[in-house]
Amino acid sequence: MPNHYAASLLRNLRNRILIDAVIVDMLRMDIRPDETQLRFRCPLCGHFHTATNSKTNLARCFDCEKNFNPIDLVIAVTHCSFVDAVERLKKRSHWMG
Ligand SMILES: [Zn+2]
């Protein structure tokens, strides 16, 4: 079933809700805060060989060789649908940088 969200809304959720805030404050993922990089437990492989990129607003797992934008990450961690992930992120729009 196609979704009817405006492309601009989806772009804003992907690009402007900071990936670090999604990891730490929204999803409360396991992290290793003592590193210079924000390393989070990859929802796919469970390892911490990960990093976030503030320029691209993506979270990457180097073992899985996979990038997660905020929508991807909410789906991977909570196993929710695309629509649910968008609705959850919309509630955090006040975080947009
Ligand atoms: Zn992984």
Side-chain angles (χ1 to χ4, degrees):
M1 177 178 148
N3 75 73
H4 299 284
Y5 293 114
S8 59
L9 169 69
L10 297 177
R11 193 164 53 240
N12 280 335
L13 295 179
R14 289 188 180 110
N15 295 342
R16 294 183 57 204
I17 297 190
L18 300 180
I19 193 75
D20 286 14
V22 174
I23 290 170
V24 175
D25 300 313
M26 182 177 174
L27 298 173
R28 300 183 189 282
M29 296 172 69
D30 289 338
I31 56 171
R32 295 226 169 129
D34 54 334
E35 303 271 356
T36 52
Q37 267 283 353
L38 176 64
R39 299 194 190 277
F40 58 93
R41 185 189 296 279
C42 172
L44 302 184
C45 70
H47 297 151
F48 285 89
H49 191 201
T50 56
T52 59
N53 185 326
S54 59
K55 290 196 176 70
T56 59
N57 205 42
L58 293 171
R60 179 163 182 83
C61 174
F62 299 102
D63 289 341
C64 296
E65 298 186 345
K66 189 162 169 51
N67 289 314
F68 303 90
N69 65 45
I71 296 172
D72 299 330
L73 200 57
V74 171
I75 292 170
V77 170
T78 71
H79 307 289
C80 70
S81 68
F82 179 85
V83 169
D84 283 346
V86 169
E87 291 301 319
R88 288 183 202 193
L89 285 162
K90 274 169 68 181
K91 292 179 185 150
R92 309 283 177 151
S93 327
H94 56 284
W95 285 355
M96 285 184 184

